[in-house]
Structures are given as structure tokens and as C-alpha cells.
Amino acid sequence: MADGTLSFKLPEERQEFDLACKASDFLFVLDGFANHLRSHIRHSTDPDWDTATVEKLYELINQMKTEHCLHFD
């Protein structure tokens, strides 16, 4: 089994270190938002939202996740 290690020069690269540590949290938030949009598309959960716009946002998020290989398997 291969191992991978990220290395940062602290304190100079503190911002990069923090970003790397929080990357999975951001992905979970983005995926949760996409799931909320999908739920609206399927169930019209918020009548104030324009469904066509919600569908476009959902497609855009998934396209960007695909381009950056960020889908959960």
C-alpha cells in the first residue's frame, strides 16, 4: 500500500496548511448543498425558488466536481 505525505513550512505556509486540512470539510458542504438542490428539483421543497435556476446550479456543481475529480464513491 502506498502512502502520501503533504509537507508545509510553518508558519510561512500556514494558510495552505489550513486549507489542506479543511478541504474535505468544504467538499462535504458542497456535496450537501448539491443534495439540497437535488431534493428541491425532485420535491419542490421551496416554492420561492425558481426550479430552472436550481437545476442549472445543480448541473454546474456536478460538472465542476467532475472536472476536478471530486465525486464521492
Side-chain angles (χ1 to χ4, degrees), residues 8 11 16 26 42 64-65 71:
F8 299 92
E16 291 84 354
F26 180 74
R42 290 184 175 179
M64 294 174 78
K65 285 171 59 178
H71 283 279

Side-chain angles (χ1 to χ4, degrees), residues 27-57:
L27 184 55
F28 283 115
V29 168
L30 181 63
D31 202 53
F33 181 62
N35 287 336
H36 184 78
L37 294 175
R38 186 182 72 214
S39 178
H40 173 77
I41 293 166
R42 290 184 175 179
H43 308 291
S44 295
T45 55
D46 191 335
D48 293 333
W49 289 22
D50 173 32
T51 299
T53 302
V54 171
E55 289 173 352
K56 288 180 183 179
L57 288 170

